[in-house]
Amino acid sequence: MLRITTLLGLLLGFACVIFGISYYTKDFTVYLNLPGLLVVLGGLIGALLLSYRATVIFRITRSIRKAFFRHTELPREIASRFVEYAKLLSERGISALEEEAAKLPKNSVERLALELVIAGYKPEDIERIIEDEIRTKQVINEVDAEVFETLAKYAPSFGMLGTVVGLIAMLKQLSTDISQLGPNMALALTTTLYGVLLSATLFGPMAEKVRRLGEDEIVNYEIIRRGAALLAERRNPVYVRDALNAFLVERAKLGTEAKGGESK
């Protein structure tokens, strides 16, 4: 599902820039500088290669997909499933959880949590294992956000570098043809524009978006951690529902659809 806010934010940011350009000139070609753009983009690629391992850099595409398309489940959906797991466990026993676990992706934390319950781990041991998974996920999410922060930090610098290179070449030719001073300076300044534009409208906001989406994932992991511990304690569905509602915002809290006896 497409994240409309991400798309609107990106389009609005660039639209404002285009509007500003059109206010001052109708000739958009004055803002075109392919060598300057290559200086900025090439410099950013080099900075990433120097700063991060290849595996981290390759995750950029995954982060972009997460920013534009919703792959993460809503916390309410996960909480609701654990209420259902509690029902199945109370009605059909551990075999029902085995069937549900088999339906989940092999590497998912939710499947791991159910397998720990099925294996008979103590609640505190389950919470400790899932907590380790949460810490690992937090580190990965933070590094993914830092990649975009690095791009946002260096983009203006490489833009300025391109401008300085252009100005040096312009000043060298100044004694022979002073009439080209204005056009050449404008061309040199476009690289600074590219760097600032990419930093302010793309890389900076993307870093914040990736970080916020990572926080949403951690909430889901916390629900899984708590839900699995409650299953291991053999808590009834009503207790599980009420406990997991603590992780949900008011409008998303589960209602009275869960059935079962009084909590222990």
Side-chain angles (χ1 to χ4, degrees):
M1 182 183 296
L2 181 66
R3 295 184 188 274
I4 301 298
T5 54
T6 303
L7 181 60
L8 286 178
L10 185 64
L11 292 177
L12 183 59
F14 279 99
C16 290
V17 174
I18 293 173
F19 173 78
I21 291 174
S22 64
Y23 181 81
Y24 289 102
T25 179
K26 301 301 180 184
D27 183 11
F28 285 87
T29 59
V30 300
Y31 292 93
L32 300 180
N33 181 2
L34 182 58
L37 182 61
L38 291 177
V39 168
V40 175
L41 295 180
L44 289 175
I45 292 172
L48 284 183
L49 292 174
L50 284 170
S51 302
Y52 299 97
R53 300 192 310 273
T55 52
V56 175
I57 296 173
F58 290 146
R59 289 208 303 265
I60 290 178
T61 55
R62 187 188 68 178
S63 297
I64 293 174
R65 286 199 304 271
K66 280 170 44 176
F68 281 92
F69 299 95
R70 185 171 76 86
H71 298 287
T72 305
E73 288 185 285
L74 295 174
R76 190 182 197 280
E77 296 171 351
I78 296 176
S80 180
R81 268 205 308 278
F82 271 89
V83 174
E84 188 61 31
Y85 294 153
K87 291 182 188 177
L88 293 173
L89 185 60
S90 63
E91 293 172 0
R92 296 170 47 198
I94 205 72
S95 61
L97 285 188
E98 292 175 346
E99 296 174 6
E100 294 300 316
K103 299 176 184 177
L104 298 170
K106 288 187 177 181
N107 296 325
S108 72
V109 175
E110 187 173 342
R111 177 164 180 163
L112 170 63
L114 292 185
E115 289 174 345
L116 293 174
V117 175
I118 293 167
Y121 279 73
K122 294 179 180 179
E124 58 270 23
D125 293 332
I126 293 175
E127 293 207 58
R128 189 157 47 244
I129 292 172
I130 303 301
E131 186 64 36
D132 290 339
E133 293 283 340
I134 291 173
R135 280 195 290 268
T136 300
K137 188 65 175 175
Q138 286 174 325
V139 171
I140 292 174
N141 290 342
E142 185 59 29
V143 170
D144 288 346
E146 286 178 357
V147 169
F148 288 98
E149 287 181 340
T150 298
L151 291 171
K153 179 174 66 175
Y154 286 116
S157 299
F158 283 110
M160 184 60 69
L161 175 63
T163 295
V164 171
V165 170
L167 288 175
I168 291 173
M170 179 195 70
L171 292 174
K172 184 176 179 60
Q173 300 173 355
L174 189 59
S175 60
T176 59
D177 188 5
I178 195 172
S179 64
Q180 294 300 310
L181 176 61
N184 288 340
M185 181 174 289
L187 187 63
L189 288 172
T190 55
T191 55
T192 297
L193 172 65
Y194 294 155
V196 173
L197 181 63
L198 289 173
S199 176
T201 63
L202 183 61
F203 298 138
M206 280 292 291
E208 289 300 318
K209 188 78 170 188
V210 170
R211 182 171 282 111
R212 296 295 172 264
L213 293 176
E215 291 171 355
D216 291 343
E217 286 183 322
I218 296 304
V219 171
N220 288 349
Y221 276 41
E222 291 287 357
I223 292 173
I224 292 171
R225 178 183 64 81
R226 184 64 180 138
L230 293 173
L231 292 180
E233 294 174 4
R234 298 301 192 268
R235 296 289 188 174
N236 64 67
V238 171
Y239 189 100
V240 173
R241 181 202 69 203
D242 293 341
L244 297 185
N245 268 342
F247 295 93
L248 306 178
V249 296
E250 190 63 35
R251 66 177 182 276
K253 289 187 184 296
L254 300 174
T256 58
E257 64 274 12
K259 302 296 181 182
E262 294 298 324
S263 61
K264 294 181 179 180

